[in-house]
Amino acid sequence: MDVAEREDTLLSLMRQARLTGQGGRPEDIAGHTSLSIEQVTEVLTKLVMNGEVTYQNDGAYHLSPSGIRAAEAIMRRHRVLETFLQEMLGMEHELAHAQACTMEHHTTDDTINRLRGFLRGNRDCPVTCHGHVRRCSFKSLADCAHGDVVKIDAIRGCGRGGRLADLGLIPGEKVMVKQRMADTLLIRVKDCDIAISPEIARSVLVEVDQ
Amino acid sequence: MKIGLIGNPNVGKSLIFSHLTGIGVEVSNYPGTTVDILSGVSCINRLPVEIIDLPGIYSLDGEGDEERLVRDMVLSHSFDVLVVILDAVHLERNLYLFLQVLEHRIPMIAVLNMADEAEKQEIQIDTHALSQITGVPVLLTSATLGKNIAEIIPVATTRASVGTYQVAYDRHIEAAIRTLMRVSDSGSSRVASLLALQGIGTDPSLLEAARTIAGELEEEHRMPVSSLLAGNRHHAASEIHHQKTGKEMRGLDSWLLTPFPGVLIMAGILLSMLLAVFFIGSFFEELIVEVCDIWVLGPLAGASLDPLVYELIFSFVIAIQAGLGIAFPFVFTFYLLMSVVEDTGYMSRIAFLADRIMHRFGLHGQAIIPMVLGLGCNVPAIMAIRQIGTKRERHIAAFLITMVPCSARTVIIAGIVSVFVGLYAALSIYLIIFSLILLSGLFLSKITPGTQLGMVLEVPPLRVPSPLMVLTRAWIHIREFLVIAMPLLIVSSIFLGLLGFYGVLDVIETATAPVVQGILGLPPFASTALLFGVLRKEMAFETLVVLAGTANLTEVMTRIQLYIFALVSTLFIPCVSTIAVLYREQGLKTAIQISLYTVFLGFIAGTVVHWISTLIPLF
């Protein structure tokens, strides 16, 4: 049994359980993954044999406690990889997700732990700050609507970083979006108004101000 | 004694400068850049004081042309005293530059300008406290009201001091500075070490050491050193400032900066500017040309001179006549209006509004500024491209600006089409040109390689412009036109006069007749006129009148022929001054590409109109 096939099946069952509270049928799993129904059935049979999945009377497969632990470990690898690709390397979310989906199967736990340490040390995040929570709470200035007040978290890329810093756009600074014309933003920083293009706005990561 | 004025853009620096120096300002270009440095002389106690207005900058550490220039001048101790001009309304952001200047340890004073605006917004400023903290004399002024301006020079000459405040940087950076200050034998200064950490400086051993330390610092903080320094300085600035927010005072912007009615207002302002230039310009142009005809050309024709000498003098005079006839009525009027737009702060609002549409052409909002300037004269507009982003953006902008109808082309359209064909026909030519600019932009953004950087532009508060500033600014713009375009005008006019004198023009006329007559449907003498247009756009029109032998052009050409002539001569090939400046700014390859492209475009447009006119009667 291929590692990727096994892990994709486990993840798919996990997702099915979270979404519906039900188990998954081979055809559901085949729909989520790139596997055929025959392959899925074969993988499921093997998973039942090693106790990670149980087959129940409703015709669906369910994760056993050991299966849940395995699926959670894979999901954690996925999140760490995705966060790294997106936040540190500046990849688009979709691309980062797709890449993480293939990388997760072959990354050792040691690599993942090191990456996690790197991500955490980088931003002085509290220990509770989890990769997943971080991804959801960070967005770029380009995603902000008219009237939003946000705090700058980091500025990606270095091309215009200097210029932005000179104008007062530095991590920790509060920014108000004053006007949005299509994707061009007029922001207020340190009591001054600054017009910025969408591509620049996308490089400024912000935290939503609570 | 030399005094330098330094400050952020839009703080009223130039206005203070004109108050201090009055007339007799000298504009000079720093070698290798197009950055203008204004210098003037003021007298105090019968001793001359040279005052230099440095370009507005946000930081002394940046990599822009202006920033580098100002930094070089400050580092080479070109000034005895620096006057740092700060905007009292936006003090915190302005203190950032002030703190940087303090690090250079040059005798200085701080001038808090815009005191009247700060008062209106109920912002209270304690100049005494600021002076106490920084150790530098502080003056509160208002350039628009002229308040305290007379104090600046006396205070600068007698009380300027190097200041005592020092930004407390992150402990790692302070450690790095201490290490670097011991590196070179003579011991480098704190500011040299700071600059070296950002890779700026001339001492190789210091830079080498700084590079290693900067690498470690970046590794540790996961941030470029420059951002770390910026963060520390901003922090220090906000500590000095103690945030005091005043009243919001910008009701008008809620109209000007929205898609509706902001975009409509922008279109209205630009269109009415064009129309104003069109009408005021044609009125004064006629006046100047007529005076010149009666008082200079008439007597010249009367004086029986040797034909060659006559031809030379005639060409020279006609160049001056055309130059003045274009320069003052059209270009100057345009720049006068333009300076009003710039000084009110509306220009950056135009950039904001246009950002989206400019992205379609692979440009960004800031590129609209040179394009609008191009409506006056393409030469300074192309020089202004330097300030926008990447190579790709400059390449596209150069193409599009060359196509923007400048004042000289306005003369052709006004003189030929609106007089003989009609106002709507004249407007239709503008419509054709602007559509071609849009299409070319779309096309170029697809084929031009390279990356695109966006716009970061400060939008200053709206202000009532000062007449003195508007005049000075318009003069600086037109000066570029006179210095670059005029000499070329004179040389090319004499050259063409000689060609005509030795009969070379007739040969060219016969050679190009098939194209001009067959494809464009124009009379053969039109090719000479078009050729003159290569050298000076509006000459196409004047030559046509001379060759036709009558000012009433409808006697020798049909209305559709006049229309085609105007369209082709407006579109095809930029004038020789534009080509020269393109070559200088963008290189030979781009200059040739643009010339060929516009020739192609001009002939295609002319051919299409001619073809349509044979099918359906147009006028």
Side-chain angles (χ1 to χ4, degrees):
Chain A
M1 177 171 55
D2 184 23
V3 184
E5 287 176 7
R6 168 178 171 267
E7 295 187 345
D8 281 341
T9 311
L10 285 173
L11 277 181
S12 170
L13 278 174
M14 174 86 131
R15 206 164 86 180
Q16 187 81 6
R18 287 208 177 150
L19 281 176
T20 61
Q22 309 277 311
R25 293 161 210 283
E27 51 268 34
D28 298 330
I29 298 169
H32 292 149
T33 57
S34 53
L35 307 170
S36 68
I37 296 189
E38 291 76 40
Q39 279 172 311
V40 171
T41 327
E42 192 195 323
V43 172
L44 281 171
T45 323
K46 286 182 183 158
L47 285 173
V48 170
M49 271 159 60
N50 68 23
E52 283 175 320
V53 165
T54 54
Y55 179 73
Q56 286 174 12
N57 297 336
D58 57 356
Y61 291 86
H62 293 262
L63 286 172
S64 71
S66 69
I68 291 174
R69 273 197 302 279
E72 274 172 348
I74 304 160
M75 203 160 259
R76 174 172 156 263
R77 292 211 295 265
H78 177 90
R79 283 190 207 121
V80 172
L81 284 167
E82 191 181 280
T83 310
F84 174 73
L85 293 173
Q86 195 174 329
E87 307 280 316
M88 294 295 125
L89 305 188
M91 281 168 71
E92 293 294 326
H93 174 64
E94 281 74 28
L95 266 176
H97 178 78
Q99 269 286 296
C101 276
T102 55
M103 286 165 80
E104 67 196 7
H105 307 306
H106 305 287
T107 317
T108 62
D109 283 345
D110 181 48
T111 311
I112 291 294
N113 284 334
R114 279 166 196 270
L115 262 182
R116 224 162 87 101
F118 173 83
L119 287 170
R120 219 182 255 165
N122 189 23
R123 297 269 177 71
D124 303 314
C125 272
V127 186
T128 49
C129 178
H130 195 270
H132 184 67
V133 179
R134 185 219 288 293
R135 186 169 65 73
C136 290
S137 62
F138 282 95
K139 54 181 189 173
S140 83
L141 205 50
D143 306 319
C144 297
H146 181 105
D148 279 2
V149 177
V150 291
K151 203 163 107 188
I152 299 180
D153 182 59
I155 293 172
R156 266 204 306 243
C158 43
R160 288 232 161 163
R163 181 78 188 277
L164 289 171
D166 291 336
L167 286 166
L169 283 131
I170 47 171
E173 187 69 32
K174 274 193 183 167
V175 173
M176 186 176 104
V177 178
K178 282 197 68 181
Q179 192 66 255
R180 223 192 135 104
M181 163 98 185
D183 283 336
T184 308
L185 298 177
L186 185 73
I187 54 173
R188 167 153 277 220
V189 190
K190 293 197 181 282
D191 275 342
C192 300
D193 293 343
I194 295 159
I196 56 173
S197 287
E199 58 266 44
I200 305 260
R202 275 195 286 276
S203 73
V204 180
L205 299 176
V206 298
E207 266 175 87
V208 181
D209 198 51
Q210 265 97 29
Chain B
M1 184 167 201
K2 266 181 149 182
I3 296 181
L5 303 185
I6 190 169
N8 280 184
N10 312 309
V11 294
K13 201 160 49 68
S14 307
L15 186 57
I16 290 184
F17 175 74
S18 2
H19 275 306
L20 292 179
T21 55
I23 331 162
V25 171
E26 195 182 311
V27 187
S28 53
N29 275 332
Y30 197 69
T33 68
T34 53
V35 182
D36 280 333
I37 303 281
L38 301 176
S39 60
V41 176
S42 177
C43 271
I44 188 90
N45 297 334
R46 307 197 170 198
L47 283 171
V49 177
E50 191 181 354
I51 299 171
I52 293 128
D53 184 16
L54 295 166
I57 49 167
Y58 292 105
S59 163
L60 275 175
D61 300 345
E63 279 305 305
D65 269 355
E66 279 124 352
E67 288 154 339
R68 202 171 306 146
L69 160 69
V70 175
R71 181 171 63 233
D72 287 350
M73 291 185 82
V74 170
L75 279 176
S76 62
H77 296 280
S78 308
F79 311 103
D80 300 307
V81 174
L82 276 174
V83 174
V84 187
I85 299 172
L86 310 166
D87 177 353
V89 183
H90 305 118
L91 191 54
E92 187 185 339
R93 227 277 308 285
N94 279 250
L95 280 174
Y96 177 79
L97 180 68
F98 177 61
L99 293 179
Q100 277 189 316
V101 179
L102 264 176
E103 281 167 356
H104 285 264
R105 306 195 61 77
I106 290 173
M108 59 191 274
I109 67 164
V111 169
L112 298 186
N113 194 27
M114 314 255 176
D116 51 327
E117 272 185 46
E119 202 173 303
K120 255 186 243 161
Q121 296 187 30
E122 293 170 10
I123 297 173
Q124 265 148 45
I125 291 154
D126 188 347
T127 51
H128 184 69
L130 183 60
S131 178
Q132 284 280 306
I133 297 172
T134 58
V136 165
V138 178
L139 266 179
L140 195 62
T141 66
S142 163
T144 36
L145 304 178
K147 189 182 133 202
N148 267 354
I149 297 293
E151 297 291 305
I152 295 177
I153 300 292
V155 171
T157 48
T158 56
R159 289 173 45 209
S161 73
V162 291
T164 50
Y165 186 84
Q166 212 173 47
V167 179
Y169 290 105
D170 179 279
R171 64 194 160 86
H172 295 115
I173 295 201
E174 289 289 352
I177 294 171
R178 278 197 298 277
T179 312
L180 288 176
M181 280 168 78
R182 283 195 300 266
V183 165
S184 57
D185 308 328
S186 51
S188 56
S189 64
R190 184 178 164 90
V191 65
S193 314
L194 274 171
L195 288 171
L197 276 178
Q198 300 172 73
I200 301 164
T202 46
D203 181 349
S205 62
L206 182 64
L207 279 179
E208 180 60 43
R211 199 173 312 131
T212 324
I213 299 179
E216 278 169 32
L217 282 172
E218 282 175 18
E219 190 78 4
E220 198 158 334
H221 292 260
R222 309 228 162 271
M223 230 193 243
V225 173
S226 57
S227 308
L228 280 173
L229 296 178
N232 291 153
R233 283 191 197 120
H234 278 301
H235 186 65
S238 72
E239 291 221 315
I240 295 177
H241 180 244
H242 305 302
Q243 194 81 33
K244 293 179 224 87
T245 35
K247 276 194 298 185
E248 270 287 293
M249 296 257 302
R250 34 181 61 222
L252 213 52
D253 267 354
S254 54
W255 292 84
L256 294 179
L257 290 175
T258 43
F260 179 84
V263 176
L264 276 183
I265 296 175
M266 172 174 79
I269 288 177
L270 290 179
L271 194 67
S272 50
M273 261 177 66
L274 267 187
L275 286 177
V277 171
F278 209 85
F279 288 117
I280 301 174
S282 355
F283 175 75
F284 282 105
E285 195 221 359
E286 259 171 55
L287 211 70
I288 290 176
V289 168
E290 205 159 303
V291 166
C292 203
D293 274 345
I294 295 172
W295 298 100
V296 184
L297 289 179
L300 189 67
S304 46
L305 288 167
D306 175 67
L308 181 61
V309 175
Y310 171 76
E311 188 61 47
L312 285 177
I313 297 179
F314 177 78
S315 308
F316 179 75
V317 170
I318 215 167
I320 299 276
Q321 180 197 31
L324 294 182
I326 296 292
F328 285 97
F330 288 93
V331 184
F332 195 68
T333 313
F334 177 80
Y335 283 129
L336 215 51
L337 295 174
M338 205 60 232
S339 308
V340 173
V341 172
E342 276 179 293
D343 264 19
T344 48
Y346 190 65
M347 205 55 168
S348 41
R349 284 165 176 79
I350 294 181
F352 172 72
L353 291 173
D355 188 58
R356 182 196 161 92
I357 181 113
M358 298 298 276
H359 268 83
R360 295 269 165 86
F361 310 144
L363 294 169
H364 56 75
Q366 249 166 304
I368 193 88
I369 298 174
M371 289 188 70
V372 174
L373 284 175
L375 291 168
C377 175
N378 288 348
V379 174
I382 285 167
M383 289 175 28
I385 301 179
R386 280 206 169 194
Q387 288 159 12
I388 53 172
T390 60
K391 201 168 172 230
R392 168 188 150 99
E393 285 160 354
R394 289 198 292 270
H395 185 77
I396 298 176
F399 264 86
L400 301 189
I401 287 170
T402 318
M403 292 168 70
V404 170
C406 63
S407 309
R409 288 178 249 192
T410 308
V411 174
I412 302 180
I413 299 170
I416 301 182
V417 185
S418 75
V419 171
F420 297 110
V421 189
L423 191 61
Y424 288 115
L427 290 178
S428 76
I429 290 199
Y430 277 109
L431 199 67
I432 293 175
I433 293 173
F434 284 118
S435 329
L436 285 173
I437 292 178
L438 295 187
L439 289 176
S440 308
L442 288 177
F443 173 65
L444 285 167
S445 73
K446 294 272 185 299
I447 62 156
T448 316
T451 51
Q452 184 171 357
L453 277 178
M455 152 184 80
V456 180
L457 183 69
E458 190 183 357
V459 179
L462 288 171
R463 295 193 176 115
V464 179
S466 120
L468 180 67
M469 264 332 286
V470 168
L471 271 175
T472 321
R473 227 181 251 267
W475 169 247
I476 291 171
H477 278 308
I478 194 148
R479 197 188 131 272
E480 278 167 2
F481 173 85
L482 291 177
V483 169
I484 296 172
M486 269 299 242
L488 277 167
L489 274 176
I490 294 171
V491 171
S492 55
S493 175
I494 292 175
F495 178 68
L496 267 185
L498 289 178
L499 281 189
F501 186 74
Y502 292 111
V504 183
L505 286 181
D506 297 331
V507 180
I508 296 173
E509 215 168 274
T510 334
T512 53
V515 178
V516 172
Q517 209 164 4
I519 300 177
L520 298 176
L522 296 175
F525 63 84
S527 68
T528 312
L530 285 177
L531 190 67
F532 270 79
V534 176
L535 296 157
R536 285 155 37 196
K537 277 290 166 183
E538 82 299 337
M539 268 297 273
F541 167 44
E542 283 147 19
T543 318
L544 193 71
V545 174
V546 173
L547 292 174
T550 167
N552 194 358
L553 289 172
T554 34
E555 286 172 17
V556 287
M557 284 165 86
T558 62
R559 281 157 32 116
I560 186 69
Q561 279 180 327
L562 288 170
Y563 186 86
I564 293 173
F565 177 81
L567 182 64
V568 174
S569 60
T570 332
L571 270 177
F572 103 137
I573 214 160
C575 69
V576 81
S577 321
T578 309
I579 297 178
V581 78
L582 273 176
Y583 167 60
R584 207 180 75 183
E585 297 285 317
Q586 304 290 319
L588 184 63
K589 202 175 133 203
T590 312
I592 292 175
Q593 277 175 356
I594 293 179
S595 307
L596 292 179
Y597 178 69
T598 45
V599 170
F600 164 78
L601 216 56
F603 278 109
I604 293 292
T607 313
V608 169
V609 174
H610 175 59
W611 179 69
I612 294 175
S613 72
T614 54
L615 298 179
I616 41 167
L618 279 177
F619 299 113

